[in-house]
Amino acid sequence: MARYCSSAACILFILERCNLSFTWNEQSVDASLKAVKNQGIEWSVDRFVLAEGVISASGWCGSIRGQVISELNILLVFADEEEEKVALETGKSRLDVLALYPVLGRYSGFFVHRGIRRRDKPVSVSLSMTLEDGLYLRAPIPYYADVRHREKAVSKLALLRHYADRLFFHFARGNWRLIWNRLLQHVPALMATRVGNKTLVEILTNLPGDMVLIVDHALGGGANYYREKRVSILLEQGRTVLLWQFSPVTLSFQLQIFRPEERSELFQVEREAWVELADCSQIIEVIFNNCVSYPDPEQVPDMFAAFLGHKRVRFTFLVHDFFSVCPSHFLLDYRRKHCGIPDIEVCRACLPHIEDGLVSMYQSRDIDLWRARWGSVLEKADEVVCFSENTRGLLLRAYPRLSNRVITVKPHSVAYLSGNYRYPVAREPLKVAVVGDINFHKGSEVFVTLVEAARHQNIAMEFLVVGTLNANSKPGGIEETGPYQRDKLGDILTRHQVHMGLMLSICPETFSYVTHELIKLQVPLFSFAIGAQGNAVSAYELGFVHPLVESMELLSILLEFKERLDTMLLGKEACHQ
C-alpha cells in the first residue's frame, strides 16, 4: 500500500494546485487494490492532473504473471453516475520499473494528455483494465475513491520523496542528461508563483516599452528549440520578452518574463490574464510560435484580436506545424494516415472520428469554424513565416485566399552542429538508424514492422535508435541510446557503424532539424517522399526517397540503397587514397 500512497501523494499535490479536494473510503480502496493484486497486476499512477477540461496522467502497469492487458484506461465517474473512459497511450519506456520488476519489461509505462467532455469534478477516478481473458478490473486511485466518507490530507513532503526516488534511480545510473532535462521540464512549472490579475497589472506596468510577446506550447521539440534561440537573440538586443504558455505539468497558463542580464520570472496565471496583456501598451511585437495542447484551442484566434491590425503592434505567425489547418496538426486522418489536405467535405466527415488526444481538446470538431477562425488570423498577420516551400504549398491548399499575400519561407539553420561521421564501407550487415524521439507520427510503427519483417525473412540487418523509441510493442535486438547531445550525433553514428539514417515520418514535417543535421554530417539518408523532409532528401547526393510502402518492400529498397552507397562511397574512398 505504501507504494500506491506515494504515487497518490504526487497526484494529490498537483491536483491541489488546481483547487480540487480529495476524499476516499479506505475499505473500498483496499478491497479494489487487493483484487488487482490477486491477479498479479502491479501498477502506479505517478502523476495525475485534471484542470481546464484536460486530463494529463502518467504511470505504469503490467502483469507479473505474463497476462496481456488488452485495454487500459482511466475511468472518471461523475455525481450523476455518468462515466467517461479515457484511453491511455501504452508502451512507454520505464527503466525504473524494469529494475524493480524485470518480468514487466522495459515498456510498461503509460501516458495520456487529452481533453474531456465534462468540466465538473468527478466523484471518483480509477485505473481500469481488461485482461486478455476478458476479466475487468478497477483500481481506484487512492485519495480519490467512489464513496467519500473520510478526508485525508497529504503534505508536499510525500511528493518530494516520490521525485527523490526517481532522481536517485537515474543518478545511480549516470543518466545526467535525462535528469537535467526532466528538472528543466517539471520543476519550474511546479514552482511558478501564482498571481492574480491585479498583481499582474502592477508587474507589467513596471516593464519597458518595447516588449515582445511570444505564444508557445511547452511540449519540447523543434518549435521550442527555435523559440529558445529567438528569445536569446531578443535578449542580446536588449529587449524584454513575455512568454505565454500552457503547462502540461500543472495544466495551467503561465507567463514567463525574460529581462536582459536578469533571471527570468515565472508566474502561474488564469486564462483571463490574457486581457491584461492585450491592454498592455508596452507590447509592440507578438510572435505566434505554437499552441498545440492548449485547452479550447478554437478560442486562441479570438485572443489575438486586440493585436491584429493594430498599428503599434507587429504580429508574426510562424508555421511550425499544421495546427492552423486542422486540429490534427500532423495532418493524420481518422485512419492515422496522411490526408494530404483533401476537399473540405472529406474533412467534415473525418475530424469527428479522430481519436488523437490533442485533437480531443477541440470538442466541437467543426472544421469550418476552425478554418474560419484561424484563416482570419493568417490573413491579418503582418507576416506569415513557413520553414519550407512544401509547408507553404500545403498551407495555400487549405487557405487559397492567402495566395494574394507574401508568405515568407525561411529555412532554419543548422550551423550550430559540429562533429563528423564516417561511412563503414567494408562492414556487413546493413545497419540503419532512426534519430530523435520516435513516436507514431515519426514512424515508430513503421520502424518496428521493419525490424519484424527483417527477422521474418531471416535478413541479416541491425537496428539502432539514437534517442527514444515509443511504440506499443518492440521486438528484441533494437539498440536504443536514450537522450543524446546533438554535437555527439556524428560520433554516435560512426561508433555504431551505421550505414544510413531513416526518416520514417508518415506525415509532412515543416522543416525537420534531424533531416538537415544528418545531411550536414553527410550521413546517407532514406526518407518517404512526403513533406519538407522528403524534399530535402531528394535534393541530397546521398539521399533516397520513395513513396510510402509496406515494410517488406521497404526492406528491399534499403538493401538496394546500401549496394549503391557501397559502390559510390568505396569509389570516393579509393580516390582519396
Side-chain angles (χ1 to χ4, degrees), residues 125-137:
V125 177
S126 302
L127 187 68
S128 69
M129 61 200 79
T130 303
L131 305 186
E132 61 180 336
D133 60 4
L135 182 64
Y136 176 75
L137 298 169

Side-chain angles (χ1 to χ4, degrees), residues 430 432 446 449-455 457-461 463 500 502 504 526 528 544-547 549-565:
L430 168 61
V432 298
V446 177
T449 56
L450 180 66
V451 176
E452 292 172 341
R455 301 289 181 262
Q457 294 291 315
N458 293 318
I459 295 174
M461 196 169 171
F463 301 88
M500 68 182 72
L502 305 181
L504 300 179
F526 171 86
F528 290 127
F544 185 73
V545 298
H546 195 280
V549 292
E550 297 297 325
S551 295
M552 287 296 186
E553 186 176 349
L554 181 57
L555 269 178
S556 301
I557 292 168
L558 297 179
L559 291 169
E560 292 175 10
F561 184 31
K562 180 184 179 294
E563 291 180 7
R564 290 171 45 197
L565 290 170

Side-chain angles (χ1 to χ4, degrees), residues 35-43 61-73 85 104 127-139:
V36 173
K37 189 81 171 179
N38 287 342
Q39 293 298 321
I41 305 297
E42 296 290 343
W43 64 278
C61 184
S63 168
I64 59 175
R65 299 178 186 170
Q67 300 178 85
V68 175
I69 300 176
S70 58
E71 186 177 343
L72 190 64
N73 305 283
K85 189 179 291 186
L104 298 185
L127 187 68
S128 69
M129 61 200 79
T130 303
L131 305 186
E132 61 180 336
D133 60 4
L135 182 64
Y136 176 75
L137 298 169
R138 283 178 57 184

Side-chain angles (χ1 to χ4, degrees), residues 435-453:
V435 178
D437 187 15
I438 309 300
N439 45 35
F440 182 81
H441 75 277
K442 293 284 187 180
S444 61
E445 298 304 320
V446 177
F447 187 71
V448 166
T449 56
L450 180 66
V451 176
E452 292 172 341

Side-chain angles (χ1 to χ4, degrees), residues 417-424 431-435 464 466 486 488-495 497-503 514-527 536-537 540-544 561 565 568-569:
L417 186 69
S418 60
N420 296 288
Y421 160 81
R422 185 177 179 82
Y423 182 81
K431 187 166 188 176
V432 298
V434 289
V435 178
L464 173 69
V466 183
R486 277 187 166 94
K488 302 293 184 184
L489 179 56
D491 294 336
I492 293 171
L493 295 171
T494 299
R495 184 172 68 253
Q497 295 188 298
V498 170
H499 292 95
M500 68 182 72
L502 305 181
M503 279 302 302
V514 168
T515 296
H516 288 269
E517 287 167 355
L518 292 173
I519 289 174
K520 184 176 181 183
L521 291 170
Q522 290 291 287
V523 178
L525 189 55
F526 171 86
S527 172
V537 174
Y540 174 41
E541 180 187 12
L542 300 178
F544 185 73
F561 184 31
L565 290 170
M568 181 191 311
L569 296 175

